[in-house]
């Protein structure tokens, strides 16, 4: 027995029933013209077979695969059902299906998908696509019954896959309705082929062959024509009609009645078929209609009989809409159309028995380790007590995983009074509610649980009814677990003090051996300290949390959280330790067989450290490595870091327009997470504006953020105030505001005091550098040397470079003074050498002018115009420049406006006239 992970049920991995490729049986009606059309689709991205139920979609695809040897074009097949709307389950099935062709393909993607804290689906798909590109041969992926998928995340994932589909992969979708995919675009680009009901319906010749040869009837041409006309070639209708006519004496009379009947064909024909079955078979059909998949033992458990395997075999041999799901005939399913009508009849004829049948199915699935099916049948039976107990025992492993959406669906399906009677389940519901139902809904669940704890302690009257606990271990940790949840909630509300208070309370309340929840509490406490600017306690607490969670089996958390510890060390000015954290995490990822999972963020962190040391080449290579793994292959709340890191490289190279484009993309990608946003993207943009001399925009940012030199200082706004000081220095140097320099100096003194007290050496160095710059801007070089000397002494052991070199000529002059004074002589000489060999790999002018243009083109606009002239499409330009397509379109629109052009050809011609290209 098992589940989807590979244990067996009745001798067969249940997962295999979803991946089984239906076999086409010789003797069925062959359809060579349709096979040829399917073959034509091999050269395109997508084949869509879209038609209502009963048009032979699955049978046609089975014949197509049978006509092509697997050695020539291997195929993977996934039979979908409604439970596959969970994105994690859906892609698990897809990847596992692909592994039936190549056992190692998708290994890393599947590992990422099943991690305790999985990244966005796009990240998983990026890894999967990279793995698929390594397959040399052409292959096909078939998704059958896709109409049962209505989850937007799954549809979005398929669209993403189609956009980046490796050329050797061909996707086939069979569905009763058109899926919400970019079909019009695929059609326009000649990247799809479509077969619809009009293509699939039987011709008169095919109908005659089916009725007389396959179904064993001996009908006249007139009878065949009457049936074909009435059914309009609908294959399931013809099959039902044929079943109804077998062993019937008055076949022409039946055809006349059927042909003139106005009732819904399916109801009419299924009723005919059911009435002609022996009572024992009819009862079996109705009772087992509650099952999505059928096996002999499962049917026996549901019906209370012992002939399930025999009956299933007989149904298949009689063409009674039973579809085998494996070669050994252990597992079957009913044709969906037939199953729908059977369920309707079962509900009408045996309404009191349906719930009992579901209960039996739930018990069998639980006994065989199939938790999801056990819960589903318990819910269908409205046996909510049983369902709640199953969910309570499964919930902890599902929280924070790719299956949390499924868990939340189960919980919301339970009546509220059933959940409220279960304190452990209420707390699990609270955790599942944070990102879906909101903080208030989560708090209400926590209060429900607390009422039971308070009544047990004699603090208050118990709630009505009896308390129910299934997870005894979870109940022992419940007070501490509630405190952890409250700490999460406080953090989401921005209540840092509450976050710290509840996390401490959780640690006090949780049992010493509860590594999972104590690890969670210590991690949250570390984040709370970090938000407060208490860096060393933050580091210690978070490191302890990581260790605890690793002991609880969450090794992946060690990898995906490395950037938090590294960021804390960077804020403390300890770059070497930050580098060691990243490198150790990379080794850990490799040791656990997942060299891709979670490492994208690690390479981003290493890149920024190399950039600070002015090794732009190494910084760029690390980012390219990150992109190769998938720049989104990290947590949702860290994906913006890639764009920030690349922007800072562009800034170091003097490509300020490129830096701003990337920072714009970083803002779009940013999602607020648990760790504090101590270097907001908007502040980074303001610093680039200062470097460009665009003071108006920089001052506008300061006004928008309501920043003032008189503000109360806090760690969370420290970088913004440092940036404000930089803006004020630039304003003073421009001659616009003489008092700005004095305001900047005063603000920097206050910032330095706060950073010193918080032992934030990274900030201290940056503030000291700015102090030196401010004094030099006033012409007071002797006074500037004091903060510079301290900055050099602090920075030398860690190898800082860019923090000095980025200040430009002013810093070059100051460093020469420092060298003459004998301050850190070797380090100072090394820093001066970088001014002679700047980080810029390409010199990019601020703008390109043309005498006839009222407004000149920027360097980025000229760059994009040249790429357009080279014939590149918008998405290709976006990929090359690491920006979004929308940003490319914005630059193109601006360029057209400046050139007075309305389309590409006109813009290129105009640019050539002005010698811009």
């Amino acid at each position: 027995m098992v589940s989807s992970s590979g244990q067996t049920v009745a001798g067969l991995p249940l997962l295999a029933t979803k991946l089984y490729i239906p076999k086409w049986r010789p003797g069925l009606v062959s359809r060579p013209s349709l096979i040829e059309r399917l073959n034509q689709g091999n050269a395109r991205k997508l084949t869509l077979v879209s038609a209502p139920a009963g048009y032979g979609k699955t049978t046609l695809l089975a014949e197509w695969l049978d006509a092509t040897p697997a050695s020539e074009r291997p195929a993977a097949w996934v039979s979908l059902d409604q439970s596959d709307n969970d994105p994690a389950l859906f892609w698990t099935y897809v990847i596992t299906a692909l592994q039936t062709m190549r056992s190692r393909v998708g290994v890393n993607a599947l590992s990422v998908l099943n991690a305790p804290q999985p990244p966005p689906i796009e990240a998983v798909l990026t890894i999967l696509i990279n793995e698929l590109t390594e397959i040399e041969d052409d292959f096909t992926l078939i998704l059958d019954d896709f109409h049962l998928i209505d989850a937007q995340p799954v549809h979005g994932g398929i669209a993403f896959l189609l956009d980046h589909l490796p050329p050797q992969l061909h996707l086939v979708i069979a569905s009763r309705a058109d899926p919400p995919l970019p079909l019009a675009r695929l059609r326009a680009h000649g990247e799809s082929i479509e077969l619809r009901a009009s293509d699939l319906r039987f011709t008169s010749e095919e109908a005659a062959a089916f009725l007389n040869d396959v179904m064993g009837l001996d009908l006249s041409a007139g009878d065949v024509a009457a049936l074909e006309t009435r059914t309009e070639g609908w294959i399931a209708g013809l099959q039902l009609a044929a079943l109804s006519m077998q062993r019937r004496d008055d076949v022409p009379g039946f055809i006349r009645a059927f042909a003139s009947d106005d009732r819904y064909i399916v109801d009419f024909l299924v009723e005919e078929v059911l009435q002609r079955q022996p009572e024992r078979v009819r009862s079996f059909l109705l009772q087992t209609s509650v099952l999505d998949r059928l096996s002999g033992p499962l049917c026996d458990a549901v019906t209370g009989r012992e002939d399930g395997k025999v009956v299933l075999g007989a149904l298949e041999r009689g063409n009674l809409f039973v579809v085998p799901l494996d070669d050994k005939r252990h597992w079957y399913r009913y044709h969906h159309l037939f199953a729908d009508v059977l369920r309707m009849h079962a509900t009408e004829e045996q309404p009191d028995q349906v719930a009992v049948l579901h209960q039996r199915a739930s018990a069998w699935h639980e006994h065989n380790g199939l938790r999801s099916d056990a819960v589903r049948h318990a819910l269908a039976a409205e046996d909510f007590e049983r369902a709640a107990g199953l969910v309570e025992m499964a919930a902890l492993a599902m929280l924070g995983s790719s299956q949390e959406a499924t868990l939340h669906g189960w919980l919301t399906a339970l009546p509220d009074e059933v959940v409220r009677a279960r304190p452990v389940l209420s707390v699990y519901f609270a955790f599942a509610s944070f990102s879906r139902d909101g903080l208030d809904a989560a708090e209400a669940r926590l209060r429900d649980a607390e009422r039971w704890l308070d009544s047990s302690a004699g603090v208050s009257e118990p709630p009505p009814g009896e308390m129910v606990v299934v997870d005894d271990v979870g109940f022992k940790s419940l007070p501490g677990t509630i405190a952890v949840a409250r700490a999460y909630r406080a953090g989401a509300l921005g209540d840092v003090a509450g976050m710290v208070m509840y996390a401490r309370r959780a640690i006090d309340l949780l049992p010493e051996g509860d590594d999972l929840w104590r690890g969670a509490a210590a991690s949250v406490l570390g984040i709370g300290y970090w938000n407060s600017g208490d860096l060393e306690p933050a580091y210690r607490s978070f490191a302890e949390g990581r260790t605890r969670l690793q002991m609880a089996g969450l090794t992946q958390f060690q990898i995906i959280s490395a950037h938090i510890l590294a960021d804390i060390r960077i804020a403390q000015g300890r770059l070497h330790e930050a580098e060691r954290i990243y490198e150790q995490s990379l080794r850990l990822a490799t040791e656990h067989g997942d060299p891709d999972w979670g490492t994208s963020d690690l390479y981003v962190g290493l890149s920024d450290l190399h950039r600070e040391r002015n090794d732009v080449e190494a910084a760029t290579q690390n980012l390219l490595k990150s992109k190769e793994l998938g720049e989104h292959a990290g947590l949702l709340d860290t994906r913006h870091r890639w764009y920030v890191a690349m922007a800072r490289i562009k800034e170091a190279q003097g490509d300020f327009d490129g830096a701003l484009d990337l920072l714009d993309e970083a803002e779009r990608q940013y999602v607020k997470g648990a760790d504090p946003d101590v270097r907001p993207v908007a502040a980074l943009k303001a610093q680039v504006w200062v470097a460009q001399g665009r003071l108006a925009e920089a001052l506008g940012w300061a006004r928008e953020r309501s920043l003032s030199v008189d503000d109360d200082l806090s760690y969370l706004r420290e970088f913004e105030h440092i940036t404000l000081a930089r803006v004020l220095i630039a304003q003073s140097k421009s001659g616009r505001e003489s008092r700005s320099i004095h305001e900047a100096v005063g603000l920097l003194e206050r910032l330095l005091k706060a950073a010193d007290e918080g032992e934030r050496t990274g900030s201290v160095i940056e503030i000291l550098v700015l102090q030196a710059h401010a004094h030099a801007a006033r012409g007071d070089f002797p006074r500037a040397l004091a903060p510079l000397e301290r900055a050099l002494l602090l920075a030398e052991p860690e190898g800082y470079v860019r923090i000095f070199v980025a200040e430009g000529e002013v810093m070059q002059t100051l460093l020469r003074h420092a060298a003459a004074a004998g301050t850190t002589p070797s380090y100072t000489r090394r820093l001066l050498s970088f001014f002679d060999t700047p980080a810029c790999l390409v010199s990019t002018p601020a703008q390109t002018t043309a005498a006839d243009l009222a407004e000149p083109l920027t360097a980025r606009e000229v760059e994009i115009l040249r790429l357009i002239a080279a014939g590149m499409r918008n998405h290709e330009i976006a990929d090359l420049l690491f920006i979004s397509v929308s940003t490319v379109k914005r630059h193109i629109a601006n360029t057209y406006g400046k050139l007075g052009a309305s389309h590409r050809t006109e813009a290129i011609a105009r640019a050539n006239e002005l010698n811009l290209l």
Side-chain angles (χ1 to χ4, degrees), residues 750-764:
R750 295 173 59 219
L751 286 167
L752 180 61
K753 183 175 183 295
D756 269 328
E757 290 174 352
E759 298 181 345
R760 299 188 291 272
T761 304
S763 296
V764 168

Side-chain angles (χ1 to χ4, degrees), residues 303-360:
T303 63
R305 293 158 44 171
E306 296 181 354
D307 59 350
K309 183 176 181 179
V310 173
V311 175
L312 288 171
L315 292 175
E316 183 191 5
R317 290 189 297 274
N319 287 317
L320 205 60
F321 291 94
V322 175
V323 181
L325 297 178
D326 64 274
D327 289 326
K328 296 181 179 180
R329 283 3 190 212
H330 286 313
W331 287 91
Y332 298 84
R333 68 169 172 84
Y334 291 126
H335 187 288
H336 296 309
L337 182 100
F338 192 56
D340 290 342
V341 180
L342 284 178
R343 292 187 188 108
M344 179 186 71
H345 277 270
T347 302
E348 291 176 354
E349 297 179 26
Q350 304 173 354
D352 297 333
Q353 280 297 304
V354 172
V356 175
L357 297 172
H358 278 296
Q359 286 174 325
R360 293 172 182 171

Side-chain angles (χ1 to χ4, degrees), residues 177-387:
D178 284 2
L181 299 172
L183 299 179
R185 188 183 74 206
L186 291 167
R187 260 184 237 121
H189 293 161
E191 294 176 328
S192 67
I193 189 169
E194 300 173 14
L195 275 69
R196 301 190 172 277
S198 58
D199 303 301
L200 298 177
R201 67 178 79 251
F202 270 171
T203 64
S204 297
E205 293 78 10
E206 289 172 331
F210 175 74
L211 292 168
N212 290 330
D213 299 340
V214 177
M215 299 303 294
L217 301 174
D218 186 17
L219 303 181
S220 68
D223 287 341
V224 171
L227 287 170
E228 192 271 331
T229 299
R230 182 68 181 98
T231 60
E232 296 182 346
W234 179 43
I235 300 169
L238 289 169
Q239 184 176 1
L240 285 164
L243 289 168
S244 297
M245 288 185 287
Q246 288 175 342
R247 297 182 299 276
R248 183 184 287 273
D249 295 331
D250 185 16
V251 170
F254 171 83
I255 293 174
R256 285 193 300 274
F258 169 55
S260 61
D261 198 288
D262 291 327
R263 289 177 293 169
Y264 184 47
I265 293 174
V266 175
D267 287 345
F268 175 72
L269 291 176
V270 171
E271 183 64 29
E272 287 287 324
V273 171
L274 285 176
Q275 284 182 352
R276 297 183 65 80
Q277 302 304 316
E279 179 55 34
R280 191 167 183 80
V281 173
R282 190 176 189 279
S283 175
F284 180 92
L285 291 170
L286 295 178
Q287 287 180 310
T288 57
S289 66
V290 302
L291 303 172
D292 291 333
R293 288 181 293 270
L294 310 158
S295 72
L298 173 56
C299 290
D300 291 345
V302 170
T303 63
R305 293 158 44 171
E306 296 181 354
D307 59 350
K309 183 176 181 179
V310 173
V311 175
L312 288 171
L315 292 175
E316 183 191 5
R317 290 189 297 274
N319 287 317
L320 205 60
F321 291 94
V322 175
V323 181
L325 297 178
D326 64 274
D327 289 326
K328 296 181 179 180
R329 283 3 190 212
H330 286 313
W331 287 91
Y332 298 84
R333 68 169 172 84
Y334 291 126
H335 187 288
H336 296 309
L337 182 100
F338 192 56
D340 290 342
V341 180
L342 284 178
R343 292 187 188 108
M344 179 186 71
H345 277 270
T347 302
E348 291 176 354
E349 297 179 26
Q350 304 173 354
D352 297 333
Q353 280 297 304
V354 172
V356 175
L357 297 172
H358 278 296
Q359 286 174 325
R360 293 172 182 171
S362 176
W364 187 90
H365 283 104
E366 181 191 10
H367 179 72
N368 286 277
L370 298 168
R371 177 189 62 203
S372 294
D373 290 305
V375 172
R376 182 169 53 79
H377 281 290
L379 290 172
E382 297 188 354
D383 187 348
F384 298 121
E385 296 294 327
R386 173 179 177 77

Side-chain angles (χ1 to χ4, degrees), residues 23-58:
K23 298 297 187 291
W24 188 75
R25 290 183 294 143
L28 296 177
V29 177
S30 181
R31 317 196 72 183
S33 61
L34 294 181
I35 298 302
E36 179 56 32
R37 288 192 61 187
L38 289 171
N39 286 334
Q40 293 171 4
N42 282 335
R44 309 185 190 189
K45 286 186 173 184
L46 173 68
T47 292
L48 174 65
V49 184
S50 179
Y55 272 89
K57 299 182 290 293
T58 300

Side-chain angles (χ1 to χ4, degrees), residues 13-232:
L14 190 57
L15 179 61
T17 66
K18 298 186 67 65
L19 312 184
Y20 176 70
I21 298 178
K23 298 297 187 291
W24 188 75
R25 290 183 294 143
L28 296 177
V29 177
S30 181
R31 317 196 72 183
S33 61
L34 294 181
I35 298 302
E36 179 56 32
R37 288 192 61 187
L38 289 171
N39 286 334
Q40 293 171 4
N42 282 335
R44 309 185 190 189
K45 286 186 173 184
L46 173 68
T47 292
L48 174 65
V49 184
S50 179
Y55 272 89
K57 299 182 290 293
T58 300
T59 302
L60 173 64
L61 292 174
E63 181 187 358
W64 175 53
L65 294 183
D66 183 74
T68 306
S71 59
E72 293 183 16
R73 189 178 187 95
W77 185 297
V78 183
S79 297
L80 299 167
D81 57 50
Q82 289 181 329
S83 67
D84 301 330
N85 279 286
D86 183 322
L89 285 176
F90 178 90
W91 290 109
T92 294
Y93 291 138
V94 168
I95 294 170
T96 309
L98 292 169
Q99 289 177 341
T100 63
M101 298 183 298
R102 296 287 188 278
S103 60
R104 296 299 299 169
V105 72
V107 170
N108 291 323
L110 197 58
S111 175
V112 172
L113 185 64
N114 293 320
Q117 290 185 300
I121 285 298
E122 289 84 355
V124 178
L125 294 181
T126 299
I127 297 171
L128 175 62
I129 290 165
N130 288 337
E131 295 181 84
L132 291 175
T133 58
E134 298 176 4
I135 300 177
E136 296 181 359
D137 301 327
D138 292 341
F139 58 101
T140 299
L141 171 63
I142 299 173
L143 302 177
D144 197 13
D145 293 323
F146 196 78
H147 57 276
L148 296 172
I149 301 301
D150 54 24
Q152 192 283 325
V154 175
H155 293 153
I158 291 293
F160 182 88
L161 178 63
L162 283 169
D163 283 344
H164 302 85
L165 202 71
Q168 61 269 45
L169 173 59
H170 177 60
L171 179 63
V172 179
I173 291 178
S175 176
R176 293 186 187 178
D178 284 2
L181 299 172
L183 299 179
R185 188 183 74 206
L186 291 167
R187 260 184 237 121
H189 293 161
E191 294 176 328
S192 67
I193 189 169
E194 300 173 14
L195 275 69
R196 301 190 172 277
S198 58
D199 303 301
L200 298 177
R201 67 178 79 251
F202 270 171
T203 64
S204 297
E205 293 78 10
E206 289 172 331
F210 175 74
L211 292 168
N212 290 330
D213 299 340
V214 177
M215 299 303 294
L217 301 174
D218 186 17
L219 303 181
S220 68
D223 287 341
V224 171
L227 287 170
E228 192 271 331
T229 299
R230 182 68 181 98
T231 60
E232 296 182 346

Side-chain angles (χ1 to χ4, degrees), residues 598-612:
T599 56
S600 178
D601 285 335
L602 304 181
Y603 285 110
V604 172
L606 286 171
S607 171
D608 211 42
L609 291 171
H610 285 301
R611 179 201 56 80
E612 177 52 47

